[in-house]
Amino acid sequence: MSQSLSAECTPLKIEYDSCFNSWFEGYLDPAVKASKTPEARAAYAKQKADEFNQKCGKIWEQYKGCVQHAVKEKGLDTLLQQAREENPLVDPIPPLPTQPPK
Amino acid sequence: MHFFSQNFQYDHPWSHVVIAMWHKYPNSKCTHVVSIDTIDRSVDPVTGIIRTERVLGCKQKAPIWIVKLFGGSEDAFVREISFVDPATQNVTITSVNLSLSQFATCYEQIRYTPLPSNKTMFSQTAEVQARMALWRSAADGLEKWLVQRFEQNAHLGKLGFTDVLRNLWEERHRAHSS
């Protein structure tokens, strides 16, 4: 796995990435299959979002604290703030209208 | 303003590509990416859409005149926002440079969508735009340099990711069948 921008955060980053990846690999295919109705999708999404927080929430808090500090130290916090103001990118980008049917 | 775009398909199913996306780096073919950090992530409990915000650290040797003119350094950082939507099987990745952003922006968008026969479409566009009205020719040179770098790295990205996909899934296939 790749490094963190700060060497001291790398062990936390590796642990967090592993946690996310193993959760994600169990999530993706069933999530596609559970998307036939909005109700089924929401039920699965809620269950898996809770599971993700339960499994990876603790390491995420540790890693986030470390990386936030590193971002500030590198002077990236102001650049990030400006970038977020310019392009919030909070809402998903919709699929292309020409996207082939599933 | 300079544009770059390319499309191609990976011979792997969409979910394999999207899982492997998180394993792309480190990559011996893309050594310019030296660090990746997740700075924000959410799983929407209604739509199931995962939004991830990351900061990528890159090493790029800029031409001397660019470093002198703009004060750039070897370290360049990029902000990347991705959305994984299982319901529409739509993945988008948007990247904007943080470093030198007062002078020029490189706005990249990648999309992974499923194709028939278990293949995946990759489409990528980038707009490189210098912000200054002054220094027209210098700005133009910067854009051209950035777009050249982008083309080179995009090519390496494809080669590198093809390796990752092949290695990951061949290994798993072997493990599964043994």
Side-chain angles (χ1 to χ4, degrees):
Chain A
M1 269 188 226
S2 52
Q3 306 280 306
S4 168
L5 62 92
S6 162
E8 60 171 328
C9 304
T10 297
L12 296 170
K13 174 210 143 67
I14 288 172
E15 197 183 329
Y16 171 72
D17 281 354
S18 307
C19 189
F20 170 74
N21 284 332
S22 95
W23 172 84
F24 184 73
E25 295 185 19
Y27 170 73
L28 189 60
D29 270 327
V32 171
K33 293 188 183 85
S35 295
K36 294 202 169 74
T37 67
E39 294 75 26
R41 181 180 68 172
Y44 184 74
K46 172 80 173 71
Q47 177 205 333
K48 295 301 278 188
D50 289 348
E51 183 196 292
F52 177 56
N53 288 333
Q54 204 176 14
K55 282 190 169 160
C56 306
K58 199 169 158 218
I59 182 66
W60 167 242
E61 288 304 322
Q62 291 171 8
Y63 169 49
K64 187 170 73 170
C66 190
V67 82
Q68 276 177 349
H69 180 74
V71 158
K72 215 169 190 172
E73 229 166 38
K74 298 246 177 199
L76 292 172
D77 51 338
T78 31
L79 289 172
L80 264 174
Q81 194 50 45
Q82 285 165 7
R84 283 170 172 166
E85 279 164 21
E86 203 165 318
N87 289 303
L89 292 162
V90 170
D91 298 317
I93 295 162
L96 293 174
T98 55
Q99 193 173 338
K102 279 181 271 178
Chain B
M1 177 100 83
H2 284 78
F3 291 97
F4 169 89
S5 81
Q6 66 171 354
N7 294 293
F8 48 81
Q9 60 186 54
Y10 286 110
D11 293 334
H12 293 266
W14 179 82
S15 67
H16 283 198
V17 172
V18 176
I19 285 170
M21 172 176 115
W22 307 111
H23 296 269
K24 184 171 173 182
Y25 301 106
N27 194 307
S28 59
K29 294 203 171 82
C30 312
T31 52
H32 61 283
V33 177
V34 292
S35 72
I36 298 182
D37 283 283
T38 301
I39 54 170
D40 193 34
R41 176 172 273 144
S42 59
V43 182
D44 190 306
V46 175
T47 62
I49 295 173
I50 302 172
R51 178 188 184 274
T52 304
E53 183 166 359
R54 303 197 298 179
V55 171
L56 281 66
C58 312
K59 289 226 183 293
Q60 293 283 20
K61 282 249 185 319
I64 287 168
W65 67 267
I66 288 181
V67 177
K68 281 201 174 141
L69 197 57
F70 300 104
S73 76
E74 258 214 17
D75 292 330
F77 290 95
V78 171
R79 172 180 177 241
E80 177 206 86
I81 285 90
S82 62
F83 293 96
V84 176
D85 184 355
T88 58
Q89 290 184 279
N90 185 43
V91 165
T92 60
I93 307 169
T94 307
S95 307
V96 190
N97 60 303
L98 292 171
S99 307
L100 294 179
S101 56
Q102 65 273 48
F103 301 115
T105 52
C106 180
Y107 190 93
E108 180 204 33
Q109 200 169 87
I110 286 175
R111 212 183 263 279
Y112 290 110
T113 44
L115 290 173
S117 323
N118 278 331
K119 293 178 196 296
T120 302
M121 170 67 96
F122 168 91
S123 58
Q124 179 181 38
T125 60
E127 297 170 18
V128 174
Q129 182 164 36
R131 286 193 202 255
M132 297 187 306
L134 287 167
W135 300 80
R136 246 358 285 180
S137 64
D140 203 55
L142 174 64
E143 288 183 2
K144 279 188 185 135
W145 175 74
L146 285 168
V147 91
Q148 271 170 14
R149 290 299 307 173
F150 194 88
E151 278 173 10
Q152 286 166 12
N153 291 335
H155 176 65
L156 294 173
K158 181 193 171 191
L159 290 178
F161 195 41
T162 301
D163 287 355
V164 168
L165 276 164
R166 199 181 50 237
N167 292 338
L168 182 73
W169 295 109
E170 276 179 4
E171 196 180 292
R172 293 199 179 179
H173 184 69
R174 269 200 307 275
H176 186 71
S177 56
S178 63

